[in-house]
Amino acid sequence: MRHGLLSRNTNTEPAAEAREEPAPARSPVVRALVMVVALVATVLFAVVLARLTLTPSYASESLTYSNLRPGESIRNYLDQPAFRDTVKQLGGNIALGVPFGVLLPVAWPRARGLLRVVLLTMVVMAMVELVQGFVVPGRAFDIDDVILNTTGALLGYLLLGRRIGRAIHPPRRRRWRRRAGRERTAATGAEEA
């Protein structure tokens, strides 16, 4: 009988029951439909991201400066007298990363995993910031935007992306688990003989 997470297997037989059963096969039609929807949502997200971040802001051209010191812009946002502006800046940058954390593991199964989502988000958002800083008038590179966008992607992944990705794509079997399974099968086959 199992009671919570700390229960032990009191079964005296070999660990055959302790092994996890493979996940049930997903319907290929449902899986394909969800992937198409995720890809379309990713394209829409890319369009919105480009529209929000890559449009010129000629009025603020003289006010912009690049920020390469982590935390500087965040401190400036927090020091603003209007709390609404702080929430808009910090919350907007975090919210901009959330769809990336949700859609990435669904649209691209090999990108599942916390570290992969964080690294891919950092790379993509850094590229967006570089384009902003070098190409778009009135915009500047800000390392804090990359940090806040990555934080949003991390939140999106932890809250929804991980679950949705696992529901659509079956769990990957690690090489070491496959080898251990083969060794276990070979050992039981040798005992039976």
Side-chain angles (χ1 to χ4, degrees):
M1 181 163 48
R2 303 191 101 179
H3 296 286
L5 297 173
L6 299 176
S7 67
R8 299 176 116 183
N9 186 3
T10 57
N11 200 354
T12 56
E13 294 180 25
E17 291 181 18
R19 278 185 246 140
E20 292 181 24
E21 294 294 320
R26 301 329 185 258
S27 166
V29 174
V30 171
R31 189 173 172 197
L33 181 63
V34 170
M35 287 200 57
V36 166
V37 168
L39 288 171
V40 168
T42 304
V43 169
L44 290 174
F45 169 67
V47 169
V48 169
L49 179 67
R51 189 96 197 260
L52 289 173
T53 61
L54 300 178
T55 54
S57 177
Y58 298 106
S60 61
E61 205 166 347
S62 62
L63 303 173
T64 59
Y65 66 96
S66 292
N67 173 31
L68 300 175
R69 296 170 63 200
E72 186 176 317
S73 292
I74 295 173
R75 274 189 294 280
N76 289 340
Y77 295 149
L78 292 173
D79 289 341
Q80 290 181 358
F83 181 72
R84 182 176 171 197
D85 293 337
T86 301
V87 170
K88 194 164 109 175
Q89 288 293 332
L90 296 177
N93 277 317
I94 291 171
L96 201 58
V98 171
F100 207 75
V102 173
L103 294 171
L104 191 61
V106 176
W108 192 25
R110 294 186 57 86
R112 286 186 303 168
L114 185 68
L115 187 60
R116 288 180 181 158
V117 169
V118 167
L119 289 175
L120 281 168
T121 302
M122 283 175 32
V123 167
V124 169
M125 295 306 176
M127 289 185 343
V128 168
E129 288 294 321
L130 284 170
V131 170
Q132 269 187 336
F134 290 115
V135 178
V136 183
R139 301 282 186 163
F141 179 87
D142 190 348
I143 192 67
D144 288 337
D145 287 353
V146 175
I147 293 168
L148 292 170
N149 294 152
T150 303
T151 302
L154 178 64
L155 288 172
Y157 175 74
L158 291 175
L159 295 175
L160 286 174
R162 183 174 180 213
R163 288 186 180 129
I164 296 171
R166 284 184 174 177
I168 300 305
H169 307 291
R172 299 183 308 251
R173 288 197 64 193
R174 307 270 189 242
R175 279 187 225 152
W176 60 273
R177 285 187 184 166
R178 278 184 263 167
R179 191 174 80 198
R182 278 184 271 164
E183 290 171 358
R184 204 176 301 127
T185 305
T188 43
E191 289 175 5
E192 292 174 3

